[in-house]
Amino acid sequence: MKLHDDKLRALGLAVIQVETQAVAALAERINAEFVTACKLMFKCSGRVVVTGMGKSGHIAGKIAATLASTGTPAFFVHPGEASHGDLGMITQQDVVLALSNSGETEEIVKILPIIKRLGVPLIAMTGNPLSTLAQEATVHINVSVAQEACPLGLAPTSSTTAALVMGDALAVSLLEARGFTRDDFALSHPGGSLGKRLLLRVSDIMHVGHHIPVVPVSALISTALLEMTEKKLGMTAIVDTEHRMVGIFTDGDLRRMLAKSLDIHQTTIAQVMTADCAVISADILAAEAMQIMERKKINALIVVDEEQRAVGALNMHDLIRAGII
């Protein structure tokens, strides 16, 4: 069979159109049953146990992961394994969320009596409101679709997309209801770049002690240049006798100074420094420091304490190394 570019594009577009319509149809399913399902999971003192078989199982696993990462403790149980011991993972404090497009999946139907015996609330997400699973559930969420995107009507496509989107709707609704914050999200994602952006603070990556470039306000420009060269941060803090910040001298200031043909061995740094400079505190997020640098179009910042004493230094390269950028 010869492949034609236009034909392939048309086929791909047709799939997207069918699945878009399937998702749009879900809007009317955000109803009383949806609200009840949210309340059951919100009030759950245990875990939301998500189960599904085949393609529905893959979607169930993703929903469980999304719930868990957004403040609703959850895990996936394979319904086939559930009949061979894994049902012991379900406690009376849990809620079960079962996915099956037909609502007649044998492995799930087989464990319904046990779920009933435990007295565990059962949320069913199916494409058939008259199915066994839907009828036995505490609450049923209808995720039926008009057609699969597969032209044969066999491969789960639109149906799995609809279930996935409804799962996201549940998870995000619960996230909002719980008042789940960016910091809460970061605590469950500490290893990724997002976790770094949300958790890492300036104090974790700033230069401290003798690594801070600093000269007294009475120093000559030549002394400040030596300090900048040694500390390699592209700037130096200018401080008074109490080590409080009075200004900063950067590579940019140096370029502007060179245009004035000043004698660096006779001119004090106070004459060329930037007095009204941006400073930050050590306890702010590193991501906030990056935003300040970007907004002010600068590459370095001095970190100060409550008395405006220089206690650290930070430049854009430190943020890059830390994975903030």
Side-chain angles (χ1 to χ4, degrees), residues 11-34:
L11 291 170
L13 180 60
V15 170
I16 291 173
Q17 289 174 336
V18 170
E19 297 207 12
T20 297
Q21 292 168 1
V23 171
L26 294 178
E28 63 186 31
R29 321 277 178 76
I30 305 299
N31 51 23
E33 284 74 17
F34 177 88

mmCIF file of all heavy atoms in Angstrom, residues 11-34:
data_model
loop_
_atom_site.group_PDB
_atom_site.id
_atom_site.type_symbol
_atom_site.label_atom_id
_atom_site.label_comp_id
_atom_site.label_asym_id
_atom_site.label_seq_id
_atom_site.Cartn_x
_atom_site.Cartn_y
_atom_site.Cartn_z
ATOM 1 N N LEU A 11 -6.107 11.446 7.849
ATOM 2 C CA LEU A 11 -6.431 10.408 8.837
ATOM 3 C C LEU A 11 -6.138 10.884 10.256
ATOM 4 O O LEU A 11 -6.926 10.667 11.184
ATOM 5 C CB LEU A 11 -5.644 9.126 8.526
ATOM 6 C CG LEU A 11 -6.059 8.373 7.253
ATOM 7 C CD1 LEU A 11 -5.051 7.283 6.933
ATOM 8 C CD2 LEU A 11 -7.459 7.785 7.421
ATOM 9 N N GLY A 12 -4.981 11.513 10.412
ATOM 10 C CA GLY A 12 -4.620 12.028 11.735
ATOM 11 C C GLY A 12 -5.592 13.081 12.209
ATOM 12 O O GLY A 12 -6.001 13.096 13.382
ATOM 13 N N LEU A 13 -5.990 13.976 11.312
ATOM 14 C CA LEU A 13 -6.943 15.026 11.660
ATOM 15 C C LEU A 13 -8.292 14.436 12.041
ATOM 16 O O LEU A 13 -8.952 14.901 12.986
ATOM 17 C CB LEU A 13 -7.103 15.990 10.482
ATOM 18 C CG LEU A 13 -8.067 17.164 10.689
ATOM 19 C CD1 LEU A 13 -7.604 18.021 11.863
ATOM 20 C CD2 LEU A 13 -8.166 18.005 9.417
ATOM 21 N N ALA A 14 -8.703 13.392 11.339
ATOM 22 C CA ALA A 14 -9.990 12.755 11.638
ATOM 23 C C ALA A 14 -9.998 12.181 13.051
ATOM 24 O O ALA A 14 -11.009 12.283 13.765
ATOM 25 C CB ALA A 14 -10.272 11.653 10.613
ATOM 26 N N VAL A 15 -8.895 11.574 13.455
ATOM 27 C CA VAL A 15 -8.796 11.025 14.815
ATOM 28 C C VAL A 15 -8.945 12.135 15.843
ATOM 29 O O VAL A 15 -9.691 12.008 16.829
ATOM 30 C CB VAL A 15 -7.453 10.291 15.001
ATOM 31 C CG1 VAL A 15 -7.242 9.925 16.470
ATOM 32 C CG2 VAL A 15 -7.410 9.035 14.136
ATOM 33 N N ILE A 16 -8.238 13.232 15.619
ATOM 34 C CA ILE A 16 -8.292 14.346 16.573
ATOM 35 C C ILE A 16 -9.704 14.917 16.650
ATOM 36 O O ILE A 16 -10.202 15.240 17.739
ATOM 37 C CB ILE A 16 -7.276 15.435 16.180
ATOM 38 C CG1 ILE A 16 -5.854 14.904 16.403
ATOM 39 C CG2 ILE A 16 -7.494 16.713 16.991
ATOM 40 C CD1 ILE A 16 -4.762 15.811 15.908
ATOM 41 N N GLN A 17 -10.374 15.020 15.526
ATOM 42 C CA GLN A 17 -11.739 15.558 15.520
ATOM 43 C C GLN A 17 -12.701 14.658 16.287
ATOM 44 O O GLN A 17 -13.531 15.137 17.069
ATOM 45 C CB GLN A 17 -12.210 15.738 14.076
ATOM 46 C CG GLN A 17 -11.497 16.878 13.350
ATOM 47 C CD GLN A 17 -11.860 16.962 11.872
ATOM 48 O OE1 GLN A 17 -12.267 15.969 11.271
ATOM 49 N NE2 GLN A 17 -11.712 18.142 11.285
ATOM 50 N N VAL A 18 -12.586 13.343 16.075
ATOM 51 C CA VAL A 18 -13.464 12.398 16.770
ATOM 52 C C VAL A 18 -13.216 12.449 18.278
ATOM 53 O O VAL A 18 -14.164 12.482 19.086
ATOM 54 C CB VAL A 18 -13.255 10.963 16.239
ATOM 55 C CG1 VAL A 18 -13.993 9.945 17.118
ATOM 56 C CG2 VAL A 18 -13.742 10.853 14.804
ATOM 57 N N GLU A 19 -11.948 12.478 18.667
ATOM 58 C CA GLU A 19 -11.638 12.480 20.100
ATOM 59 C C GLU A 19 -11.981 13.822 20.742
ATOM 60 O O GLU A 19 -12.375 13.869 21.908
ATOM 61 C CB GLU A 19 -10.170 12.113 20.316
ATOM 62 C CG GLU A 19 -9.850 10.692 19.838
ATOM 63 C CD GLU A 19 -8.691 10.047 20.570
ATOM 64 O OE1 GLU A 19 -8.257 10.585 21.608
ATOM 65 O OE2 GLU A 19 -8.226 8.991 20.108
ATOM 66 N N THR A 20 -11.844 14.908 19.987
ATOM 67 C CA THR A 20 -12.245 16.221 20.504
ATOM 68 C C THR A 20 -13.740 16.243 20.810
ATOM 69 O O THR A 20 -14.175 16.761 21.842
ATOM 70 C CB THR A 20 -11.902 17.322 19.478
ATOM 71 O OG1 THR A 20 -10.488 17.359 19.282
ATOM 72 C CG2 THR A 20 -12.367 18.686 19.967
ATOM 73 N N GLN A 21 -14.529 15.667 19.920
ATOM 74 C CA GLN A 21 -15.972 15.601 20.136
ATOM 75 C C GLN A 21 -16.303 14.735 21.358
ATOM 76 O O GLN A 21 -17.221 15.052 22.128
ATOM 77 C CB GLN A 21 -16.660 15.048 18.888
ATOM 78 C CG GLN A 21 -16.599 15.986 17.682
ATOM 79 C CD GLN A 21 -17.026 15.322 16.380
ATOM 80 O OE1 GLN A 21 -17.394 14.156 16.364
ATOM 81 N NE2 GLN A 21 -16.953 16.065 15.288
ATOM 82 N N ALA A 22 -15.553 13.667 21.532
ATOM 83 C CA ALA A 22 -15.792 12.786 22.677
ATOM 84 C C ALA A 22 -15.514 13.517 23.989
ATOM 85 O O ALA A 22 -16.264 13.385 24.960
ATOM 86 C CB ALA A 22 -14.907 11.543 22.562
ATOM 87 N N VAL A 23 -14.441 14.298 24.009
ATOM 88 C CA VAL A 23 -14.102 15.060 25.215
ATOM 89 C C VAL A 23 -15.132 16.152 25.470
ATOM 90 O O VAL A 23 -15.567 16.366 26.604
ATOM 91 C CB VAL A 23 -12.680 15.664 25.086
ATOM 92 C CG1 VAL A 23 -12.409 16.635 26.234
ATOM 93 C CG2 VAL A 23 -11.636 14.554 25.082
ATOM 94 N N ALA A 24 -15.544 16.834 24.408
ATOM 95 C CA ALA A 24 -16.534 17.907 24.558
ATOM 96 C C ALA A 24 -17.841 17.382 25.141
ATOM 97 O O ALA A 24 -18.509 18.064 25.927
ATOM 98 C CB ALA A 24 -16.785 18.573 23.206
ATOM 99 N N ALA A 25 -18.193 16.153 24.799
ATOM 100 C CA ALA A 25 -19.448 15.566 25.285
ATOM 101 C C ALA A 25 -19.414 15.301 26.785
ATOM 102 O O ALA A 25 -20.461 15.093 27.411
ATOM 103 C CB ALA A 25 -19.740 14.270 24.524
ATOM 104 N N LEU A 26 -18.223 15.293 27.367
ATOM 105 C CA LEU A 26 -18.105 15.026 28.802
ATOM 106 C C LEU A 26 -18.628 16.178 29.648
ATOM 107 O O LEU A 26 -18.938 15.988 30.829
ATOM 108 C CB LEU A 26 -16.637 14.764 29.181
ATOM 109 C CG LEU A 26 -15.983 13.508 28.613
ATOM 110 C CD1 LEU A 26 -14.522 13.448 29.044
ATOM 111 C CD2 LEU A 26 -16.714 12.249 29.063
ATOM 112 N N ALA A 27 -18.708 17.361 29.079
ATOM 113 C CA ALA A 27 -19.116 18.534 29.861
ATOM 114 C C ALA A 27 -20.447 18.311 30.567
ATOM 115 O O ALA A 27 -20.629 18.689 31.727
ATOM 116 C CB ALA A 27 -19.178 19.756 28.949
ATOM 117 N N GLU A 28 -21.404 17.680 29.873
ATOM 118 C CA GLU A 28 -22.729 17.453 30.475
ATOM 119 C C GLU A 28 -22.692 16.341 31.521
ATOM 120 O O GLU A 28 -23.666 16.138 32.238
ATOM 121 C CB GLU A 28 -23.741 17.111 29.378
ATOM 122 C CG GLU A 28 -23.440 15.822 28.633
ATOM 123 C CD GLU A 28 -24.387 15.594 27.473
ATOM 124 O OE1 GLU A 28 -24.846 16.594 26.878
ATOM 125 O OE2 GLU A 28 -24.657 14.420 27.162
ATOM 126 N N ARG A 29 -21.579 15.606 31.595
ATOM 127 C CA ARG A 29 -21.456 14.531 32.601
ATOM 128 C C ARG A 29 -20.862 15.055 33.919
ATOM 129 O O ARG A 29 -20.697 14.293 34.872
ATOM 130 C CB ARG A 29 -20.563 13.402 32.073
ATOM 131 C CG ARG A 29 -20.749 13.075 30.587
ATOM 132 C CD ARG A 29 -21.887 12.166 30.282
ATOM 133 N NE ARG A 29 -22.005 11.963 28.825
ATOM 134 C CZ ARG A 29 -21.204 11.190 28.096
ATOM 135 N NH1 ARG A 29 -20.212 10.526 28.680
ATOM 136 N NH2 ARG A 29 -21.392 11.080 26.795
ATOM 137 N N ILE A 30 -20.474 16.321 33.943
ATOM 138 C CA ILE A 30 -20.023 16.913 35.209
ATOM 139 C C ILE A 30 -21.285 17.299 35.962
ATOM 140 O O ILE A 30 -21.724 18.447 35.988
ATOM 141 C CB ILE A 30 -19.117 18.139 34.957
ATOM 142 C CG1 ILE A 30 -17.944 17.757 34.051
ATOM 143 C CG2 ILE A 30 -18.588 18.693 36.280
ATOM 144 C CD1 ILE A 30 -17.038 16.686 34.616
ATOM 145 N N ASN A 31 -21.885 16.286 36.570
ATOM 146 C CA ASN A 31 -23.220 16.413 37.160
ATOM 147 C C ASN A 31 -23.209 15.985 38.621
ATOM 148 O O ASN A 31 -22.167 15.963 39.267
ATOM 149 C CB ASN A 31 -24.201 15.580 36.343
ATOM 150 C CG ASN A 31 -23.680 14.155 36.140
ATOM 151 O OD1 ASN A 31 -22.862 13.667 36.914
ATOM 152 N ND2 ASN A 31 -24.154 13.499 35.083
ATOM 153 N N ALA A 32 -24.363 15.623 39.121
ATOM 154 C CA ALA A 32 -24.482 15.233 40.531
ATOM 155 C C ALA A 32 -23.644 14.000 40.844
ATOM 156 O O ALA A 32 -23.072 13.885 41.947
ATOM 157 C CB ALA A 32 -25.945 14.974 40.870
ATOM 158 N N GLU A 33 -23.576 13.053 39.907
ATOM 159 C CA GLU A 33 -22.761 11.851 40.131
ATOM 160 C C GLU A 33 -21.280 12.217 40.259
ATOM 161 O O GLU A 33 -20.560 11.679 41.095
ATOM 162 C CB GLU A 33 -22.962 10.858 38.982
ATOM 163 C CG GLU A 33 -24.275 10.088 39.022
ATOM 164 C CD GLU A 33 -25.474 10.926 38.625
ATOM 165 O OE1 GLU A 33 -25.268 12.004 38.009
ATOM 166 O OE2 GLU A 33 -26.612 10.521 38.946
ATOM 167 N N PHE A 34 -20.844 13.142 39.423
ATOM 168 C CA PHE A 34 -19.459 13.601 39.490
ATOM 169 C C PHE A 34 -19.183 14.234 40.858
ATOM 170 O O PHE A 34 -18.156 13.957 41.496
ATOM 171 C CB PHE A 34 -19.190 14.611 38.376
ATOM 172 C CG PHE A 34 -17.804 15.201 38.396
ATOM 173 C CD1 PHE A 34 -16.753 14.577 37.746
ATOM 174 C CD2 PHE A 34 -17.553 16.390 39.066
ATOM 175 C CE1 PHE A 34 -15.475 15.109 37.768
ATOM 176 C CE2 PHE A 34 -16.282 16.942 39.095
ATOM 177 C CZ PHE A 34 -15.241 16.296 38.447
#
